Amino acid sequence: MRNFDRRDFLRFAGAASALSLAACATPGGGKGRVVVIGGGYGGATAAKYIRLWDPGIDVVMVERESFFTSCPMSNLVIGGHRRIEEIRRDYAGLHRHGVQVVNDEATAVDGAKRVVKLARGGDLPYDRLIVSPGIDFMFGDIDGYAAAMAGGRVIHAWKAGPQTSALRSSLERMRDGGVYVLSIPPSPYRCPPGPYERASQVASYFKSAKPRSKVLILDANPDVTSKGPLFKRAWQDLYPGMIEYRGNAKAVAIDAASMAVRTEFDTVSGDVLNVVPPHRAGDIAVKAGLITHNNRWCEVDWRTCESKAVKGIHVLGDATLSAPGMPKSGHMTNSQAKVCAAAVVALINGQAPNPAPVMNNTCYSFVSANEVIHVASVHQWNAGQATIIPVKGAGGVSTARNQLEADYAWSWAQNIWADMFA
Ligand SMILES: Cc1cc2nc3c(=O)[nH]c(=O)nc-3n(C[C@H](O)[C@H](O)[C@H](O)COP(=O)(O)OP(=O)(O)OC[C@H]3O[C@@H](n4cnc5c(N)ncnc54)[C@H](O)[C@@H]3O)c2cc1C
């Protein structure tokens, strides 16, 4: 099954251009058109569920990549336990649900006229817009980062794809006895346990292939930000002497020539530099005027995920200003997307959205090839606080790392990808 291609788009846009922008927001004669920017955890889920819950609504999803590569499970590729092909999916399933997938980049949004502009030309009018662009990096916060990255001397691998493969190749090329440096930005960043899972995966590779090598974690945060005791126990038991953890060690500069990372207190050198820069909502959120907090994040009303800055636009996932206790995760984003999809369907049908939605999260982390720990939480709208907050007593963490959860974790991935795309 093919995606909505350039020729279809031109035909579609051509037909629509005969009408005024306002009128052509519902070109199929349906109830209305929702445009979705981003086909990741938030966008793909929202696009599919709107079509499932109301096939009378036209849904057009704009995604610049031609297939999806998952950040969750990408650390297993870096550790050598999975292949990158196993964490990819295509958009054919969405097409079967009647989502029109446009393989292009959204370059601008006119919130007043309700139009999205595309890189290859053409306007997409909408009745409601859902923006789930993930993150972009604040490279300027670390001196020398951009030049070092251009020269292939530093990798973030915090967006899955070519950088994931590049990091894996660097580790394979590294000499036994070398040092892998992982620098973690200050919270909030996407996937709180993700960096510690990555350190575990790299150590698991070193243990079997390069046992004299070392993992050095430079964490801008004072301590491990998620599942701390479980990660530290795993490092002690499984990789004794291999992982060194330094808290309050924020990267401020990179010297590509000497392969060194400077923190506020000292300078360390490594053979592989994996420095994750601080991030903010993806560029299109900036261009659409959706950023409201700290020049970084988009505030939304969590009952509908509608932007507090621009009416008619909903924002999902890592781009949002998280509610209290809410992690930036794929699972959380998938949950937000369903709340948003239900609200958009209700609003387009002239109904009131659910006044007290519930969301949930589970994050599994592989501490070795076959042992996993998890953290889970449930979040519900609280009218008194006018936000969504964790439900007391719901959720928690694993009591200890175990192999059963490795099966659960890989199944979680298969299921959430099916939920998004199948
Ligand atoms: C190493 C790592 C491990 C992780 N592990 C887990 C885990 O185990 N469990 C978990 O729940 N979460 C995990 N996460 C977090 C998870 O990946 C994110 O929270 C999730 O991807 C957020 O979804 P999103 O829709 O906001 O962004 P994304 O999934 O990144 O999707 C954004 C999409 O928008 C597209 N896009 C952006 N701008 C445009 C534009 N202008 N035009 C067209 N397309 C555009 C991008 O190409 C991308 O496909 C992990 C993250 C990392 C980095």
Side-chain angles (χ1 to χ4, degrees), residues 31 78 209 273 306 367 369:
K31 293 178 179 174
I78 289 162
L273 302 185
E306 188 165 10
V367 293

Side-chain angles (χ1 to χ4, degrees), residues 9-32:
F9 172 68
L10 288 173
R11 200 163 48 219
F12 184 83
S17 66
L19 306 167
S20 73
L21 282 179
C24 72
T26 55
K31 293 178 179 174

Side-chain angles (χ1 to χ4, degrees), residues 37-43 62-65 71-72 74-75 104-106 132-134 157-158 190-191 198 284 316-318 328-331 333 362-364 412:
I37 299 177
Y41 278 85
V62 183
E63 167 57 54
R64 64 180 161 216
E65 303 294 337
C71 284
S74 66
N75 283 330
D104 203 342
E105 173 150 358
S132 192
W158 219 242
R190 76 179 347 182
C191 194
R198 175 166 297 175
I284 190 68
L316 301 176
D318 293 351
K328 292 189 183 298
S329 82
H331 190 124
T333 302
T362 304
C363 272
Y364 292 102
W412 170 89

Side-chain angles (χ1 to χ4, degrees), residues 60-73:
V60 182
M61 191 184 87
V62 183
E63 167 57 54
R64 64 180 161 216
E65 303 294 337
S66 45
F67 50 81
F68 165 81
T69 309
S70 177
C71 284
M73 304 296 140

Side-chain angles (χ1 to χ4, degrees), residues 336-370:
Q336 293 167 5
K338 289 171 187 166
V339 167
C340 176
V344 164
V345 167
L347 290 165
I348 288 181
N349 282 287
Q351 296 161 356
N354 178 357
V358 179
M359 301 178 186
N360 66 88
N361 180 64
T362 304
C363 272
Y364 292 102
S365 303
F366 280 82
V367 293
S368 67
N370 55 7

Side-chain angles (χ1 to χ4, degrees), residues 150-169:
R153 309 287 278 177
V154 67
I155 296 170
H156 55 73
W158 219 242
K159 289 187 184 187
Q163 285 247 329
T164 310
S165 305
L167 178 54
R168 174 67 197 162
S169 304

